Amino acid sequence: MRGDLEPAKDRRPLDPDGVETLAELKQALNHLRGVCSYAQLNRTAGGALPKSTISNLLNGVWVPMQETITAFLAACGLDEEAQAPWLRALERVATAHLARPIGAVRVRDARARLLGVHRAIRVDGVQSELPPYVRRDIDIELRAAITDAAFDGGFVLLLGGSSVGKTRTLLNAIQAVLPDWWLIHPDPTAIDTIRTLAAAPTPRTVVWLDELQRYLDRTDGLPAGLVRTLIASGTVTVATLWPSAYTSRTTKPIYGQSDSHAGDRDLLKLAHIIGVPDAFSTAERHRAEALASDRRIRIALDTRDAGITQALAAGPELIRSWQHAPDNQCYGKALITAALDARRVGATAPLSRELLGAAAPGYLSSAQQAQAPSDWLDHGLTYATTVLVGAVAPLISVADGMGRTAGYTVADYLYQHAQGVRRVASLPDTAWQALVDHHHPADTSRLADNAERRGQYRHAENLYRRLGDVDGTDYKLADLLVDHDRIEELRERADAGSWPAADRLTRLLAERGDIAALRQRAAAGERMAARRLAGLLSEQGNLDEAVAILRHIIDLGDRAAVTQLANVLVKLGQSEEAIAVLRDRTEINDRSGESHYLAQLLAGHGHISELRKRADAGNYSARDFLAQILVETGSFPELRQHADAGDFFAANRLADWLVEEEDLDALRQLADAREQSAASERLAKLLAIRGEIEELRKRADIGDGSANSWFAESQLALMLAARGEIVELRKRAESGNANAVICLSNILAERGDIDELRKYADSGNVVVAKILIELLVREGRIGELRDEVAAGTVGAAAALLPRKPVR
């Protein structure tokens, strides 16, 4: 036997988890081979390892074969579990030449606290940062999902409330399945980090997005296309999310309404979603008992007023420190409450010392304010930021460099608790004023919206003024001025050049019939006032003056007046003149209102050849009216021909005809082949009329957001409500089906079930909020209506405004 294969008894085998290079792996294997001789190795391996192979393996010639290494390890007496770290080391070495993401660490080296795992309660005599991991019931499903994602890329999402253990569970799973992959943890404010990775993906990489709502709440959000690109590149994306954030983003709006969460919903559809229960199961408690030698777990098991994970994260202590603060810590309690309320009304950025100090007095009695020592703010912050049982503080300091504090955030668990107990609590004026004066600019729009919904119109106005005309903010400010009859201020803004203010002012003047004021503004060159003046004159029968005004502003370049002029000309009996005016100012492929009115006039005055010419050239409005004429003239073969060629309007008219003919099969074919919303709508209604509930269920359960699925959902919900099948209706509502939510809400309103109605309103469904508010108004429940104002329910504050008659 060669001397270099003799056992190296004076050395201990190296830890394979520390191996990163080929040289280190060779050295570790050379140490390991000291446990037995070559003869033993070859005999154990059944003669499968030639001496030259082992010699080459250990002495300079790399043999990158997993089979060889596995056989060698088995010959050395290592079972499958003991072989795992060596095989991972082999994978690391074999892939060491591959690119490494900037700022990445190995999954196995990732620090739990930096990834969002809550610090555990601290007890005497226990030094480790975290207690032993208690195996969860979802671990098998979670690890299988991560394993699947590792093959072709994937997105795995854990859904659960604060402090239920979702982050620790997720970290444990990826460290068990992908310990040697790279991990990057992008900052929510730096989505470009994810874009850079998607543009140049690196192999064997995990993207960690703990508390996904922080990424989705950004102005630009997290595009579904970006995550789709990561998945296609083989990247594994993992995330956690609160259930309330999931529900508010996955509940679909009414078909055709604006959909602010469409992108988020597309993103969440990509995820393999696994729910994390709020409390341990019996089996999990038994597993925790086996680890209760760690006193932290013992304490958590013995805590009766919270779940085990919540107790480990000091959840009950957080609540007690806030709600049951000692009398001499009233200033700390006030600061915590101010921070909780600020977050509740839209302040997501760290709260500055100045903001909290300005807000806190409103949470203190007159005596407490009078007796406050000069350093009350310092004492209060000391109490609010004191770490409880070594785990977490109610207020968490956010650094702004070394030795500097940028501000404070509230503990998530405490915030979730406060959302319930302070749902209908009104913020004191000092808090609103502090938010106006000291908030972070990124929060301005959210705060303004919350202030308006809570009836804080003065503060909403000040916040809107800070925004300027961003995302229609100027319109919101103009509406506030109208609602509160502050017409002179509205006029001032209009005179200063605010287009939204001018729009609202001239509309108000027209509603009041104030011709003199409109004439004055029109004479000053305000075209919007001129159009409204012409409209008012037309309503009063002064058509010739209306025509003169409209021709004048059209000559000045006001295209918005063209359709209005044509309409007045039709009233004067000058339809051909109206057609000429529209024809001269529209292109053949124009989709404007002028083009639509021209098509309507061509169809109504017998210009069929011109209408057909425009339709053949692709004009949408001309196609619509031509299809209507084909129906009226019974030209169904031509109508079907246009529909088969992809004409949307012809397909719609054809669908109407098929309903009249009760041709269900042809209607199915049109809806399925063309995915036309009209055909889908008619089909769903016809199925409902015929009682075909199973087909409706089948189409609804596709759930792909298509017109077919949506209209089937709508009709199915109506059928379930009519039949009184509340269990299925509620199940569909809780899955995010907007139609089921609305049908269920109407039933709840009829029953007067306010509590369940509130649950759906609180999820952000504005239709349900309207149903709730209408119920409270109808029944005169003003106290509860004021509660909804404090809770920020959409429409509640407006319902309390006095109704002003049109003057």
Side-chain angles (χ1 to χ4, degrees), residues 135 163 203 214 309 351 377 444 446 448 476 496 509 529 580 646 673 693-694 749:
R135 186 162 53 86
S163 302
R214 295 183 300 157
T309 54
L351 304 171
L377 182 54
T444 309
R446 279 188 297 271
K476 293 180 179 179
L509 293 173
I693 193 168
E694 288 307 319

Side-chain angles (χ1 to χ4, degrees), residues 347-402:
T348 61
L351 304 171
S352 68
R353 173 189 174 92
E354 292 74 20
L355 190 155
L356 292 173
Y363 298 92
L364 296 165
S365 68
S366 177
Q368 288 170 332
Q369 293 183 44
Q371 296 167 11
S374 59
D375 57 353
W376 71 269
L377 182 54
D378 289 327
H379 279 298
L381 285 173
T382 298
Y383 177 78
T385 56
T386 297
V387 176
L388 306 173
V389 287
V392 66
L395 295 190
I396 302 162
S397 301
V398 178
D400 182 25
M402 294 295 292

Side-chain angles (χ1 to χ4, degrees), residues 531-547:
R531 289 198 301 273
R532 293 253 159 80
L533 172 61
L536 191 56
L537 291 170
S538 176
E539 290 175 6
Q540 295 177 351
N542 196 344
L543 301 179
D544 290 333
E545 185 180 358
V547 167

